[in-house]
């Protein structure tokens, strides 16, 4: 049963700016997907990281591969997206920016264009249901797939930026940070920026990305995902910090995700502290696989007083889309 704190955090109006679609699938939806595809012999435990459990980053990315096997038709994407939006709405999220990597699945006839169209259809369906949540979509580039695919993804995103009635607002760069080379993706990211897509880039999620982060910060992105190893105390540099500060680039901080994936040893050592003490704009987000846990919010609120709700609600300022003005916000 939920305790008082759980109820409080669930009812608190929130914005969620960093949610990977296939990382946000609830266990109920997984159950439905498994029933649809019994031949895959996928067990529930292969699709999630349970309460109290941790995994290496690599193991976390293996989990996505399993979920992708379960979500490989337009029908699946429609169900997953509508379920995810309804669940976020039930958790009092009022503004949600979902991100997802369009995939082609030859064996089911799924195309990348069909993938994005289906996500948009799901967002519209939820809107028509009258749910109290505004949803926008960021098309994601998986860094592992290289420069050519990244450019194709940008071309698609550009198309939908113009034709989705304002639902597609930006581009996300994500994927296993230990794979691929950010430098080679620069032309695609520059093109995205020039055509008006807002950029949210996963930066310095692992320690070895100093040079890449430096290059990508020159774009500059509109928001940074994780930014775990940007600052000098953890092997980043003052130069990187200065670039973030100079351009006032908000950070999407995903505490539970970082602790689960073991890039941060514990909540009290999370880089949230570093950026909060600088007064830098930061938004607390869920990222993947563990959205039902309120652990990170509890951890921050334990630190005292009004701090928690203040931090939780600042997110609205950093949305890609201003829902009060119906126009781009950053
Ligand atoms: C520990 C852990 C996995 C932390 C999350 N950190 C992440 N860092 C980079 N890319 C990610 C992360 N979580 C999800 N993604 C991306 O989101 C995809 C899953 O959502 P989707 O299929 O794009 O809808 C993954 O395949 C990966 O490309």
């Amino acid at each position: 049963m939920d305790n008082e704190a759980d109820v409080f955090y669930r009812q608190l109006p929130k914005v969620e700016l960093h949610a990977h679609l296939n990382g946000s699938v609830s266990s109920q939806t997984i159950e439905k997907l498994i029933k649809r595809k019994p031949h895959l012999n996928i067990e529930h435990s292969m699709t999630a990281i349970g309460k109290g459990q941790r995994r290496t980053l690599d193991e976390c990315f293996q989990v996505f591969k399993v979920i992708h096997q379960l979500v490989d038709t337009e029908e699946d994407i429609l169900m997953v997206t509508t379920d995810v939006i309804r669940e976020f709405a039930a958790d009092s999220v009022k503004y949600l920016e979902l991100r997802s990597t369009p995939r082609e699945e030859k064996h089911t006839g799924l195309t990348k264009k069909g993938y994005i169209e289906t996500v948009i259809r799901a967002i519209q369906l939820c809107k028509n249901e009258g749910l109290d949540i505004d949803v926008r979509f960021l098309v994601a580039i998986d860094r592992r797939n290289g420069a050519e695919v990244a450019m194709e993804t940008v071309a698609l995103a550009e198309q939908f930026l113009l034709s989705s009635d304002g639902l597609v607002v930006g581009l996300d760069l994500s994927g296993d940070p230990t794979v691929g080379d950010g430098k080679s993706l620069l032309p695609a990211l520059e093109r995205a920026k020039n055509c008006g897509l807002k950029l949210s880039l996963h930066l310095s999620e692992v320690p070895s990305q100093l040079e890449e982060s430096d290059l990508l910060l020159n774009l500059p992105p509109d928001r940074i995902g994780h930014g775990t190893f940007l600052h000098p105390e953890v092997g980043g540099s003052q130069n990187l910090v200065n670039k973030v500060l100079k351009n006032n680039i908000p950070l999407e901080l995903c505490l539970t995700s970082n602790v689960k994936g073991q890039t941060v040893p514990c909540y009290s050592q999370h880089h949230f502290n570093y950026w909060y003490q600088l007064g830098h704009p930061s938004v607390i987000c869920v990222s993947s696989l563990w959205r039902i846990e309120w652990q990170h919010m509890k951890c921050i609120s334990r630190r005292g007083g009004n701090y928690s709700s203040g931090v939780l609600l600042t997110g609205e300022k950093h949305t890609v889309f201003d829902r009060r003005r119906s126009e781009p916000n950053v």
Side-chain angles (χ1 to χ4, degrees):
M1 202 166 79
D2 285 350
N3 62 31
E4 217 176 299
D6 289 326
V7 174
F8 172 77
Y9 292 115
R10 184 153 294 121
Q11 290 179 349
L12 190 69
K14 294 173 279 295
V15 296
E16 176 50 64
L17 302 186
H18 186 132
H20 296 275
L21 177 63
N22 287 299
S24 305
V25 190
S26 67
S27 52
Q28 291 88 331
T29 306
I30 290 285
E31 207 63 64
K32 292 191 268 181
L33 290 164
I34 288 176
K35 279 205 181 113
R36 276 185 183 183
K37 295 169 202 218
H39 58 280
L40 291 176
N41 287 324
I42 290 174
E43 287 169 27
H44 211 111
S45 58
M46 296 154 74
T47 63
I49 297 165
K51 241 189 160 77
Q53 291 181 340
R54 294 182 185 184
R55 294 280 186 275
T56 64
L57 211 50
D58 185 49
E59 285 166 339
C60 292
F61 283 98
Q62 297 304 324
V63 175
F64 293 120
K65 289 191 182 148
V66 177
I67 297 176
H68 286 163
Q69 279 183 273
L70 286 168
V71 184
D72 64 355
T73 66
E74 287 189 5
E75 206 186 350
D76 300 331
I77 295 160
L78 192 72
M79 180 176 80
V80 163
T81 314
T82 48
D83 281 5
V84 164
I85 294 173
R86 287 181 192 133
E87 288 157 1
F88 271 115
D91 282 345
S92 311
V93 171
K94 302 295 174 192
Y95 178 86
L96 168 66
E97 279 172 18
L98 276 178
R99 54 188 74 193
S100 194
T101 323
R103 264 178 299 128
E104 177 184 72
E105 298 285 358
K106 289 223 163 67
H107 65 289
T108 66
L110 179 68
T111 63
K112 292 184 180 180
K113 188 158 181 260
Y115 189 107
I116 302 177
E117 279 168 348
T118 309
V119 172
I120 292 172
R121 189 147 52 94
I123 297 174
Q124 282 162 340
L125 273 174
C126 290
K127 203 171 176 180
N128 295 343
E129 277 175 23
L131 293 180
D132 183 18
I133 183 168
D134 249 339
V135 186
R136 298 291 180 272
F137 185 51
L138 309 184
V139 179
I141 290 176
D142 185 337
R143 47 183 297 133
R144 146 178 84 109
N145 295 331
E148 204 177 314
V149 173
M151 195 57 100
E152 279 165 26
T153 309
V154 170
L156 262 180
E158 196 176 341
Q159 230 178 296
F160 283 99
L161 175 71
L162 302 172
S163 66
S164 64
D165 209 10
L167 294 181
V168 171
V169 287
L171 195 83
D172 157 70
L173 171 64
S174 54
D176 186 342
T178 63
V179 179
D181 163 30
K183 186 176 176 187
S184 69
L185 306 177
L186 261 179
L189 298 173
E190 274 161 359
R191 173 172 168 183
K193 200 171 168 71
N194 290 338
C195 76
L197 286 158
K198 299 296 175 187
L199 293 187
S200 169
L201 308 184
H202 283 59
L203 286 191
S204 288
E205 199 179 348
V206 290
S208 58
Q209 293 179 303
L210 226 74
E211 210 180 307
E212 176 184 302
S213 294
D214 191 45
L215 269 178
L216 297 182
L217 279 171
N218 290 339
L219 282 160
D222 296 286
R223 285 202 314 254
I224 295 169
H226 300 287
T228 314
F229 295 94
L230 285 170
H231 55 296
E233 283 84 337
V234 285
S237 74
Q238 193 55 44
N239 170 46
L240 293 182
V241 172
N242 290 345
K243 284 190 181 183
V244 176
L245 295 178
K246 180 169 157 253
N247 292 301
N248 206 29
I249 312 171
L251 282 134
E252 303 154 357
L253 300 177
C254 312
L255 283 79
T256 307
S257 164
N258 300 147
V259 172
K260 289 267 194 187
Q262 302 183 62
T263 51
V264 169
C266 58
Y267 290 103
S268 60
Q269 285 182 44
H270 195 276
H271 48 296
F272 169 83
N273 276 328
Y274 179 89
W275 294 99
Y276 187 80
Q277 274 162 20
L278 287 176
H280 188 75
S282 308
V283 190
I284 296 169
C285 304
V286 289
S287 186
S288 283
L289 301 174
W290 24 79
R291 54 171 294 264
I292 42 178
E293 282 196 32
W294 300 100
Q295 189 63 37
H296 53 253
M297 294 193 188
K298 283 187 217 161
C299 148
I300 285 168
S301 71
R302 239 184 263 129
R303 299 173 59 88
N306 296 325
Y307 193 68
S308 65
S309 52
V311 170
L312 294 174
L313 297 174
T314 49
E316 181 142 54
K317 287 194 215 133
H318 313 306
T319 57
V320 170
F321 184 87
D322 187 333
R323 62 196 175 108
R324 288 152 306 182
R325 291 188 294 132
S326 299
E327 62 190 50
N329 197 28
V330 268

